[in-house]
């Protein structure tokens, strides 16, 4: 039996409790501040929108670790999953993404990040051409809340795979770049022909 199976057997013999998302997170949307592109001052801090980093600016309004959930526009994937971003450090967030932290130490925010990426939230999204996940509907999303030990082990396992994936992507990109350089070298070598001496004489007969 694996460690996670053992933890579930010991801590969740009768299943896992489900709660509304709004009951287990703290919402920091009131501090968001949109800035038009023309008014932004370039800098080192990421400026987040619904679907991730939109720009880099000279100031920040949040400092910490946050789960961002798309509110307007890019709020749902083609498979119905929410648009999520994991943000750390000093950041700026506009009014197109909800800004969340765990309400208390009974919930791992990273666990919620992984869990929410697996569920269909189509029924919570309103609007047609401009989809919206308002705060009220977001708070009603039902999420599994296993005991903290189970959450932490799930996070450990999934973070290990995330790190491995990043390492493999970096290695593959390095290998691909090496092959590109190799291709360019052989292309240039194979297609570089010396011109024959002399020229074609013009003859009038």
């Amino acid at each position: 039996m694996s460690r996670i199976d053992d933890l579930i057997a010991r801590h969740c013999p009768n299943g896992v409790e489900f709660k509304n998302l709004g009951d287990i997170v703290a919402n920091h949307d009131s501090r968001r501040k949109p800035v038009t592109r023309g008014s932004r001052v370039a800098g080192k801090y990421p400026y987040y929108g619904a679907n991730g980093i939109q720009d880099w600016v000279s100031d920040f309004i949040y400092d910490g670790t946050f789960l961002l959930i798309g509110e307007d526009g890019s709020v749902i994937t083609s498979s119905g999953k929410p648009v999520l971003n994991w943000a750390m450090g000093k950041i700026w967030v506009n009014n197109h993404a909800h800004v969340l932290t765990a309400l208390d130490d009974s919930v791992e925010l990273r666990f919620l990040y992984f869990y929410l990426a697996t569920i269909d939230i189509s029924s919570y999204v309103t609007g047609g051409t401009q989809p919206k996940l308002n705060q009220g509907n977001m708070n009603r999303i039902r999420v599994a809340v296993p005991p903290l030990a189970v959450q932490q082990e799930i996070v450990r396992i999934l973070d290990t795979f995330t790190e491995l994936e990043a390492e493999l992507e970096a290695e593959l990109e390095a290998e691909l770049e090496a092959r590109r350089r190799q291709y360019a070298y052989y292309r240039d070598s194979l297609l570089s022909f010396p011109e024959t001496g002399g020229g074609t004489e013009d003859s009038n007969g």
Side-chain angles (χ1 to χ4, degrees):
M1 178 181 290
S2 69
R3 173 175 166 76
I4 189 63
D5 290 333
D6 178 61
L7 286 170
I8 291 174
R10 286 193 289 115
H11 294 286
C12 319
N14 300 314
V16 172
E17 183 179 11
F18 277 69
K19 294 183 179 180
N20 288 344
L21 182 61
D23 293 332
I24 58 175
V25 296
N27 188 291
H28 305 279
D29 287 1
S30 63
R31 293 163 53 196
R32 300 177 304 182
K33 185 178 179 181
V35 183
T36 62
R37 183 177 297 277
S39 299
R40 297 174 202 161
V41 178
K44 63 180 181 179
Y45 303 110
Y47 178 93
Y48 281 90
N51 60 355
I53 297 174
Q54 308 295 308
D55 207 346
W56 295 84
V57 295
S58 63
D59 203 355
F60 62 93
I61 51 178
Y62 296 97
D63 187 3
T65 299
F66 305 94
L67 170 57
L68 307 182
I69 302 180
E71 178 179 4
D72 292 293
S74 300
V75 304
I76 194 170
T77 69
S78 59
S79 59
K81 309 300 191 296
V83 174
L84 307 170
N85 281 283
W86 185 254
M88 300 175 66
K90 296 177 173 63
I91 62 172
W92 194 292
V93 185
N94 68 19
N95 59 348
H96 295 299
H98 297 293
V99 185
L100 309 177
T101 58
L103 187 61
D104 55 44
D105 58 8
S106 67
V107 175
E108 281 277 348
L109 190 66
R110 187 73 170 168
F111 168 79
L112 291 178
Y113 170 74
F114 286 127
Y115 180 81
L116 286 168
T118 70
I119 64 175
D120 189 330
I121 64 162
S122 302
S123 61
Y124 299 97
V125 176
T126 59
T129 56
Q130 183 70 13
K132 184 176 181 65
L133 177 64
N134 63 45
Q135 187 172 325
N137 284 343
M138 179 190 68
N139 287 341
R140 293 191 299 105
I141 296 174
R142 298 289 286 173
V143 296
V145 187
L148 188 60
V150 175
Q151 295 179 46
Q152 291 172 336
E153 180 63 8
I154 290 172
V155 167
R156 185 192 69 78
I157 293 169
L158 295 180
D159 270 341
T160 298
F161 279 108
T162 301
E163 292 169 6
L164 178 61
E165 180 182 18
E167 291 173 3
L168 289 174
E169 285 181 350
E171 291 174 3
L172 288 172
E173 182 59 34
E175 180 67 18
L176 180 59
E177 181 58 30
R179 292 294 167 259
R180 286 173 179 152
R181 290 196 299 269
Q182 187 179 43
Y183 166 79
Y185 169 79
Y186 280 106
R187 178 199 60 202
D188 294 347
S189 297
L190 293 170
L191 296 176
S192 295
F193 301 104
E195 186 176 354
T196 58
T200 301
E201 295 184 359
D202 184 17
S203 174
N204 293 321

